Amino acid sequence: MRRTLAILVENRTGELARIVGLFSARGYNIENLSVAETLDPGISRVTLVTNGDDAMAEQIIKQLEKQIRVLSATDLTVIDHIEREMVLVHVNAEAENARLEVTKLASIFDAKVIDKSEDGVTVEAVAEGHKVDALLRSLQPFGIREVARGRLAIGRLPVSYPQITQITETTESQLKIVVPV
Amino acid sequence: MAVLVFGVENMISTAISELIPTPTEVREVQRQGQQEEIPQEISGAQILLEALLREGVDTIFGYPGGAVLHIYNELARNQRLRHILARHEQGAVHMAEGYAKATGRVGIVLVTSGPGATNAVTGIANAFMDSTPLVIITGQVPRKMLGSDAFQEIDTVGITRPCTKYNYLVQNAGELADVVREAFHIASTGRPGPVVIDIPKDVTAERAPLCYSETVNLPGYRPNRRANQQQVEQAVEKIVNARRPILYVGGGVIHANGSDELLQLAKRLHLPVTPTLMGLGCFPSGHPLSLGMLGMHGTYWANMAISESDLILAIGVRFDDRVTGALEKFAPQAQIIHVDIDPSSVSKNVRAHLPVVGDAKSVMQQMLDLIECGNPVATARGSDKSAKKLASWWQQIEEWKEFAPLTYEKSDVEIKPQFLCEELYRLTGGDAIIATDVGQHQMWLAQYYGFNGPRQSITSGGLGTMGFGFPAALGAQLAFPDRQVVAFVGDGGFQMTAQELATAVQYRTNTKIIVMNNNYLGMVRQWQELFYDGNYSAVGMQGTPDFVRLAEAYGAVGLRATKPRELSAVLEHGLSTRGVVVMDIVVSAEENVYPMIPPGAGLKEMVLR
Ligand SMILES: Cc1ncc(C[n+]2csc(CCOP(=O)(O)OP(=O)(O)O)c2C)c(N)n1
Ligand SMILES: [Mg+2]
């Protein structure tokens, strides 16, 4: 089963490698990955799509949460959520009527042509994953030269999983200093 | 970021590390405005050593090299830190592990970049698997050369990422003190583990004030200590109502220093206790409630009891495959309560009916409080009544014990390995610290040596690292120079780290090494005998050196016993001789460890002999 995970992690060198390593070490493939800063530049949000059963998801969420710099990890698949995929695609379209046809097709999918050259156009779409698949299928006859896709997801309001918008700092007194016995 | 700064030059000359103020103290001084110091800058190497001293470090196990020269330069001038020069970086890490396991404190390792770091990886992975708190400092090429395939450059944080609890690549000398403080915090709290600090050489030369920031930046790290009270209440409810309960306990109890609570809990409810290999000694072996170790080479009655139980109270264990046997056949009738500090351990291999996430010691204390005055059934039922209620369960366990006690065929021609373990137990009274290597000898010692208390058994359980035993014993001995510390190793494993004899002799330790010499890679030979029709492949150890002369070559004492009648004299003499002693005990070559659960079988499908 396809799983979409949302991970909040401190925005530091090496943390993404740590997250990705948890998947590769277990032989899980990552189908889609997106990372960007949140409102707090100290925190990154990772959206990660993978495949696995419930037991795998439970274990990987626990492993993610165990990471020192991970603030939260949520399996969005099991809660009400909104998922969108963005796609940028170069399509062959030399003849004028081909361009018109691609533009028409795009509008059916709520997509639009955002760039053109002598022999092709670039189509942009933001939609649910299966709609993006359908759009690509219908563009195929024209000849697709290059595709870039990325997926994002967020829980539907009101959100039930932990919200971390700012890092709270631990104070010295909360820290156990190891003293000699 | 608020930065606290204080002069340190004068303190370095002082011999007492406690003089280094904590950030709070520094704040105090600053608030009073009594001192307006210009921040004194010291080198990264000096900052590192001061930061280690502030964490209470007294001993560093290490090996020098180019990338750590600045650090070694400072170390030579520092009277407050003892450096132990190992003969191989793997040995240095195992020593630090032995030190940490015996004391409960964080073990420290210092090695150079490249090969120094890669040689240390086996030890780091071993510490990771067995949750041993370590801080490993690795040298690195200068910052400007990172990523250029420079001489002795290796991506240490990359290599160690999957086998550390956390790791750092230090960016500048100014953050070094904070990194060390964080590293100790991470290594020693929650589920303990190794933390690597990789320091580029130029950072150790860079000058900066010794300062700590006011806050520690670990927002995502919440080592859960106290368990949810409701879950503990439910657990107590289940335990007092169970008819065939069993306590299955492991290394987590030792890490949490929870042996006293465990003893009280077991006694109060009259519960049978079975420890894992990593849990040996967390409950006194000679106690009537102890069933001995469970699992692949566990006792028949411990394996039967857990298989037939209706309630398993699992504390600080991880349901390792060497314990559970075939998962689908594991304890089919049992309700499982799993107490662990690491949520990812719970329901990983075996689904827990009731997870209790918390520190073993405090959860057991919560349980004891409830039993004494919280749970009406338990409170009303004193320990005598608990015993009465479980009488038929205990009778069943006794029957299993009588049916298949731990036995072996005695001999007056050959020294039986089991007899060796019994003799060692007799002569040390179960009070020695014993570090074992990996193989048959490790299992026999677990079966036949009754550890009296925690932190006495030191062994490589998770990774099963041959070569671990001797350097680990040495580390424990360096922590406790006056205690009886024994390395109990196989002839194969000893040859993996025997060069540390030089270390043992150099620092005038009293470490005793008992080589259980069957002239085979015995555990592998046993599997080949049982599961590959006796087709022995690469398990004969022809070419093994004469261990007595090997010891002598290092300036240690070497002794040998080949006949049962020689054994006790050699052991007695060897254990009581001062200095490093190697006892080469030639045992029957083709003895097998029983009982044994064949691979893929359930716990009840034991091969008894
Ligand atoms: C580093 C390493 N390599 C290989 C193994 C596989 N292995 C497990 S036990 C064993 C045999 C150990 O022989 P020895 O040290 O003589 O102990 P014995 O079993 O004879 O008591 C081997 C090779 C291991 N555990 N560790
Ligand atoms: Mg052997």
Side-chain angles (χ1 to χ4, degrees):
Chain A
M1 170 181 176
R2 178 177 266 185
R3 307 252 163 200
T4 305
L5 313 184
I7 303 154
L8 292 173
V9 60
E10 281 187 66
N11 185 3
R12 284 168 161 255
T13 327
E15 295 311 321
L16 185 63
R18 218 176 282 280
I19 289 171
V20 169
L22 291 177
F23 288 81
S24 58
R26 289 169 174 74
Y28 304 149
N29 189 29
I30 294 173
E31 295 179 6
N32 212 311
L33 181 69
S34 109
V35 194
E37 250 175 42
T38 60
L39 279 180
D40 181 341
I43 305 176
S44 295
R45 183 179 174 111
V46 179
T47 309
L48 190 153
V49 181
T50 187
N51 234 301
D53 59 13
D54 288 349
M56 170 269 184
E58 181 185 334
Q59 184 55 214
I60 202 85
I61 290 286
K62 282 179 176 175
Q63 290 293 340
L64 284 164
E65 290 198 317
K66 185 171 159 178
Q67 300 307 308
I68 308 286
R69 303 281 177 191
V70 168
L71 307 172
S72 78
T74 310
D75 181 4
L76 289 176
T77 324
V78 295
I79 58 181
D80 201 7
H81 72 287
I82 301 165
E83 210 166 311
R84 286 292 178 274
E85 195 164 325
M86 179 173 181
V87 64
L88 296 173
V89 48
H90 290 320
V91 187
N92 285 335
E94 214 176 338
E96 186 56 34
N97 69 331
R99 290 180 189 223
L100 273 172
E101 241 179 281
V102 169
T103 313
K104 242 200 301 184
L105 243 172
S107 72
I108 295 174
F109 287 92
D110 266 342
K112 52 188 176 193
V113 173
I114 55 167
D115 197 16
K116 66 174 175 121
S117 70
E118 261 162 37
D119 58 351
V121 295
T122 306
V123 177
E124 169 207 279
V126 176
E128 283 164 73
H130 64 271
K131 279 199 186 157
V132 172
D133 290 338
L135 168 67
L136 290 177
R137 268 197 307 275
S138 42
L139 290 175
Q140 213 125 39
F142 297 90
I144 292 177
R145 274 191 233 158
E146 194 176 344
V147 185
R149 317 172 61 158
R151 197 180 276 244
L152 289 176
I154 198 164
R156 210 178 273 280
L157 287 171
V159 169
S160 55
Y161 52 88
Q163 296 296 296
I164 297 154
T165 48
Q166 222 188 347
I167 291 178
T168 48
E169 291 186 321
T170 324
T171 60
E172 169 78 11
S173 60
Q174 286 170 264
L175 197 105
K176 189 188 121 236
I177 298 289
V178 186
V179 285
V181 204
Chain B
M1 182 171 77
V3 178
L4 300 158
V5 177
F6 45 89
V8 88
E9 218 72 291
N10 54 340
M11 280 155 200
I12 285 176
S13 56
T14 334
I16 308 159
S17 66
E18 286 84 89
L19 283 184
I20 295 176
T22 63
T24 332
E25 286 164 353
V26 175
R27 261 196 302 280
E28 216 34 59
V29 171
Q30 287 184 334
R31 216 172 286 130
Q32 291 164 3
Q34 292 168 340
Q35 224 168 306
E36 277 198 20
E37 290 202 49
I38 313 144
Q40 299 258 10
E41 297 206 327
I42 57 174
S43 74
Q46 285 171 313
I47 294 175
L48 173 68
L49 299 192
E50 288 306 320
L52 290 176
L53 284 165
R54 187 179 182 270
E55 302 300 330
V57 172
D58 56 17
T59 307
I60 298 175
F61 301 91
Y63 208 96
V68 286
L69 278 172
H70 297 317
I71 302 172
Y72 271 88
N73 190 40
E74 288 307 323
L75 206 49
R77 295 186 195 146
N78 196 310
Q79 301 303 307
R80 293 169 286 165
L81 288 166
R82 170 173 66 155
H83 179 267
I84 304 294
L85 176 66
R87 294 307 189 265
H88 187 291
E89 288 84 352
Q90 181 188 352
V93 185
H94 292 331
M95 284 176 212
E97 291 178 87
Y99 178 97
K101 286 262 180 238
T103 60
R105 297 168 59 187
V106 178
I108 315 299
V109 180
L110 171 59
V111 297
T112 192
S113 67
T118 53
N119 272 352
V121 167
T122 299
I124 296 170
N126 190 73
F128 183 66
M129 293 290 280
D130 285 343
S131 308
T132 308
L134 295 187
V135 168
I136 303 100
I137 296 147
T138 54
Q140 185 53 277
V141 301
R143 280 168 290 185
K144 267 207 210 117
M145 296 169 86
L146 281 171
S148 70
D149 295 335
F151 177 63
Q152 296 194 328
E153 179 185 4
I154 198 77
D155 176 8
T156 303
V157 288
I159 285 185
T160 59
R161 196 173 284 127
C163 59
T164 49
K165 187 168 171 187
Y166 197 64
N167 62 17
Y168 295 86
L169 173 60
V170 179
Q171 309 285 347
N172 57 65
E175 70 172 31
L176 200 44
D178 275 342
V179 165
V180 171
R181 181 174 63 175
E182 263 180 38
F184 273 78
H185 179 57
I186 293 170
S188 61
T189 53
R191 180 176 181 171
V195 177
V196 163
I197 307 177
D198 196 29
I199 314 178
K201 185 173 183 178
D202 59 328
V203 169
T204 61
E206 185 176 62
R207 296 181 83 77
L210 170 55
C211 61
Y212 290 92
S213 47
E214 209 158 339
T215 54
V216 174
N217 200 4
L218 290 169
Y221 182 56
R222 277 163 255 108
N224 206 340
R225 302 225 109 214
R226 219 182 139 72
N228 176 308
Q229 181 69 14
Q230 256 181 324
Q231 285 175 332
V232 181
E233 277 170 25
Q234 283 175 34
V236 169
E237 184 80 30
K238 282 183 193 288
I239 301 159
V240 298
N241 289 317
R243 312 189 133 266
R244 301 185 307 281
I246 187 166
L247 260 165
Y248 154 39
V249 293
V253 174
I254 297 175
H255 293 136
N257 295 316
S259 290
D260 292 345
E261 288 75 8
L262 176 62
L263 185 60
Q264 281 182 53
L265 186 67
K267 273 164 67 173
R268 180 61 178 75
L269 298 179
H270 211 69
L271 301 173
V273 182
T274 179
T276 64
L277 179 67
M278 298 313 290
L280 289 177
C282 76
F283 192 81
S285 310
H287 197 282
L289 295 174
S290 173
L291 308 188
M293 184 175 80
L294 83 167
M296 182 173 272
H297 293 296
T299 65
Y300 174 74
W301 57 100
N303 283 339
M304 289 302 287
I306 200 154
S307 299
E308 293 293 318
S309 65
D310 66 350
L311 182 114
I312 297 172
L313 176 53
I315 306 180
V317 294
R318 57 194 184 91
F319 293 84
D320 183 81
D321 49 275
R322 294 280 140 132
V323 162
T324 60
L327 281 177
E328 64 281 7
K329 296 176 192 162
F330 180 73
Q333 308 149 47
Q335 287 271 312
I336 295 171
I337 303 169
H338 192 172
V339 180
D340 206 287
I341 196 151
D342 176 3
S344 73
S345 259
V346 180
S347 296
K348 183 173 62 182
N349 301 336
V350 172
R351 179 143 292 275
H353 300 88
L354 180 60
V356 181
V357 175
D359 163 84
K361 184 188 182 82
S362 56
V363 171
M364 286 189 285
Q365 191 55 57
Q366 276 171 279
M367 287 179 170
L368 284 164
D369 291 347
L370 279 169
I371 289 163
E372 286 324 327
C373 50
N375 181 298
V377 183
T379 312
R381 197 197 284 152
S383 50
D384 291 348
K385 274 201 186 151
S386 297
K388 218 173 272 166
K389 175 176 166 267
L390 298 180
S392 65
W393 175 227
W394 271 104
Q395 192 187 334
Q396 172 69 73
I397 292 171
E398 287 306 321
E399 280 168 24
W400 284 321
K401 203 167 179 173
E402 273 165 43
F403 174 74
L406 276 180
T407 53
Y408 59 95
E409 223 172 280
K410 309 242 173 0
S411 164
D412 44 16
V413 185
E414 294 177 311
I415 300 174
K416 291 285 181 156
Q418 302 91 331
F419 178 57
L420 168 60
C421 299
E422 286 176 336
E423 281 296 279
L424 184 60
Y425 175 68
R426 186 178 63 80
L427 292 170
T428 56
D431 282 329
I433 294 176
I434 302 190
T436 62
D437 213 79
V438 173
Q440 289 185 310
H441 65 281
Q442 178 190 31
M443 293 299 123
W444 278 315
L445 194 93
Q447 292 176 337
Y448 289 90
Y449 190 92
F451 288 99
N452 290 334
R455 301 199 181 283
Q456 276 181 247
S457 167
I458 298 174
T459 196
S460 168
L463 196 66
T465 311
M466 280 173 72
F468 170 83
F470 170 42
L474 188 45
Q477 184 79 80
L478 286 159
F480 295 110
D482 301 325
R483 284 189 67 174
Q484 179 82 264
V485 179
V486 177
F488 192 75
V489 298
D491 49 314
F494 184 47
Q495 290 183 68
M496 286 205 174
T497 46
Q499 74 281 2
E500 302 304 340
L501 276 170
T503 315
V505 169
Q506 179 180 350
Y507 297 96
R508 301 175 190 284
T509 69
N510 282 316
T511 319
K512 308 294 178 257
I513 302 107
I514 296 177
V515 185
M516 192 207 84
N517 190 350
N518 51 14
N519 208 26
Y520 270 121
L521 295 174
M523 187 56 95
V524 179
R525 185 207 57 74
Q526 174 169 346
W527 281 57
Q528 291 178 348
E529 178 190 329
L530 299 179
F531 310 117
Y532 295 88
D533 300 325
N535 181 26
Y536 290 174
S537 177
V539 291
M541 295 295 273
Q542 295 80 18
T544 294
D546 178 333
F547 290 123
V548 172
R549 284 167 60 198
L550 183 75
E552 287 165 2
Y554 279 102
V557 175
L559 302 171
R560 177 173 296 123
T562 54
K563 297 270 168 305
R565 64 189 144 75
E566 300 165 354
L567 181 65
S568 65
V570 165
L571 287 180
E572 252 171 85
H573 179 57
L575 290 172
S576 58
T577 302
R578 279 199 73 78
V580 182
V581 182
V582 177
M583 288 162 259
D584 180 19
I585 312 295
V586 180
V587 299
S588 48
E590 300 195 47
E591 190 77 16
N592 287 337
V593 184
Y594 291 116
M596 176 178 195
I597 294 155
L603 281 190
K604 283 169 80 177
E605 296 158 333
M606 270 161 286
V607 179
L608 292 173
R609 30 204 41 259

